[in-house]
Amino acid sequence: MLTRRQTMTGALSGMAAMSARRVCAAPSLAPLPCVMAHRGASALRPEHTLAAYARAIADGADYIEPDLVPTRDGVLVARHESLITDTTDVATRPEYATRLRTQTIDGVIRTGWFTTDFTLAELRTLRARERLPAIRTANTRYDGHFDIPTFQEIIDFVAAEAATCGRVVGLIPEIKNATHFRQLGFTPEETFLRTIAAHEYTRYCPLEVQSFEITPLRRLRGQVQAINPQARLMLLMGERTEHVPDTMGTATPLAFGDLMTPGGLRRVRDYADVIGPSNTDIIPRDADGAWGTPTSLIDDAHRAGLLVHSYTFRPENRFLPAQLRNDAGDNARNPQGSIAEIRRYLDMGLDGFFTDDPAIGRLALRD
């Protein structure tokens, strides 16, 4: 006789299979595109909090995205980057004033407070804040309400939400700045693998692992799939003139533009299943923010056997192409403009997209 746990596991595994067929098929099978909650529903709640993830799941996101950085004691936590000056109240905490410092991450000089200077116990004393308070003023009412979740806590939370709402919710974690953290003595890829292997949910849920670097994807290739057979790897892409971080300072530095050519995309297929370009690498914008002539990046990627999941659709006027803005002001929400923007990309064959407002993403997929 099956135990309740075995019954639930079987039911969720079946849901996972159905979800995989819906959102994880090859481009030639024309699946329904994936809605990926960018740092949670970050247009509506402070990013990378359980509240942002909960709202994203309630609003229909197929995947939620935790960006992962280590603490001083090596625990992976969800922050957009190691620098936490703007997303926590650390600058108001006198006991941590002496930890203000400057360091270089991927060639960029940054000054502030960093997760790698705090143990998890110390990080627990901080509270999350809205990253864009001047734009998303409504989110500031949640400042101080939430702490910084660990990756393990996020997995448990998503598994509980999936069991509650009766559908599998995918995870699309980004391993941030892996080369930088390895130089500091951390092992982010190995820690990530141990974490997903230790949780039942991450052994079968839709899982897509992101990095802006090539080396971590090569390191993870095969190992992630040994834990979760349906898992995919995504190479995130910066602007065409930006250098791939782990090739900087080597004999053969690469710009992301080198990887966006048909030949470059075929080479990417050796270590990734998906590319994650910015929306402006698919449809460039001019100096006034207006759409220009679309590129062939989506079609070229599909010919190379790659899916395309682009970033990031945001509902405020200031982030929309000039053609779709209304006269309500730069910081005003413009759902209809955002829906129209997403639909143009979908018409070009986009396989999935990151959005700060998953409810709008679902509306864009309607019909």
Side-chain angles (χ1 to χ4, degrees), residues 139-159:
N139 283 3
T140 62
R141 69 186 185 273
Y142 300 111
D143 285 354
H145 287 209
F146 312 114
D147 62 8
I148 298 170
T150 68
F151 185 37
Q152 295 181 43
E153 290 167 343
I154 293 167
I155 296 170
D156 286 340
F157 176 77
V158 174

Side-chain angles (χ1 to χ4, degrees), residues 57-312:
I57 293 168
D59 286 349
D62 294 307
Y63 289 76
I64 65 163
E65 181 202 31
D67 293 333
L68 302 177
V69 295
T71 64
R72 190 170 73 190
D73 41 354
V75 179
L76 293 177
V77 297
R79 290 289 90 188
H80 173 54
E81 56 188 347
S82 184
L83 182 70
I84 54 173
T85 307
D86 296 331
T87 60
T88 72
D89 61 354
V90 65
T92 70
R93 307 294 289 275
E95 66 268 35
Y96 298 130
T98 58
R99 300 194 194 181
L100 177 70
R101 69 186 183 98
T102 299
Q103 64 174 315
T104 301
I105 301 177
D106 294 344
V108 180
I109 298 173
R110 312 298 300 273
T111 297
W113 287 265
F114 300 87
T115 59
T116 47
D117 295 325
F118 293 80
T119 65
L120 178 61
E122 290 171 332
L123 213 58
R124 294 283 198 200
T125 68
L126 304 178
R127 310 302 287 176
R129 300 175 67 91
E130 168 57 39
R131 187 176 64 90
L132 302 172
I135 299 173
R136 293 171 174 167
T137 56
N139 283 3
T140 62
R141 69 186 185 273
Y142 300 111
D143 285 354
H145 287 209
F146 312 114
D147 62 8
I148 298 170
T150 68
F151 185 37
Q152 295 181 43
E153 290 167 343
I154 293 167
I155 296 170
D156 286 340
F157 176 77
V158 174
E161 290 290 294
T164 300
C165 67
R167 67 180 180 91
V168 169
V169 179
L171 284 159
I172 185 161
E174 180 186 346
I175 297 178
K176 304 290 293 193
N177 309 113
T179 299
H180 165 75
F181 290 127
R182 293 187 83 88
Q183 290 170 347
L184 296 180
F186 297 98
T187 55
E189 299 97 323
E190 290 84 347
T191 304
F192 174 83
L193 288 168
R194 286 196 300 271
T195 304
I196 64 170
H199 288 73
E200 176 72 19
Y201 189 74
T202 40
R203 290 201 291 269
Y204 68 79
C205 75
L207 179 66
E208 191 165 310
V209 188
Q210 313 171 71
S211 177
F212 277 101
E213 300 179 80
I214 296 170
T215 304
L217 296 178
R218 290 192 182 278
R219 192 174 286 128
L220 291 169
R221 189 72 165 171
Q223 295 197 70
V224 174
Q225 289 85 355
I227 297 167
N228 182 328
Q230 69 168 319
R232 298 181 300 210
L233 301 180
M234 179 203 289
L235 176 66
L236 288 163
M237 292 179 155
E239 298 302 319
R240 291 173 185 265
T241 57
E242 290 180 30
H243 280 92
V244 181
D246 56 323
T247 71
M248 295 170 61
T250 70
T252 55
L254 286 171
F256 282 106
D258 298 327
L259 302 176
M260 294 183 192
T261 65
L265 292 165
R266 287 193 295 272
R267 291 190 292 274
V268 170
R269 189 66 183 91
D270 292 339
Y271 52 83
D273 311 290
V274 190
I275 60 167
S278 69
N279 291 333
T280 54
D281 278 318
I282 297 172
I283 308 178
R285 297 187 188 181
D286 64 20
D288 296 320
W291 267 329
T293 302
T295 69
S296 61
L297 183 56
I298 292 177
D299 289 340
D300 292 341
H302 286 172
R303 279 190 285 270
L306 293 160
L307 293 162
V308 183
H309 295 158
S310 71
Y311 66 91
T312 302

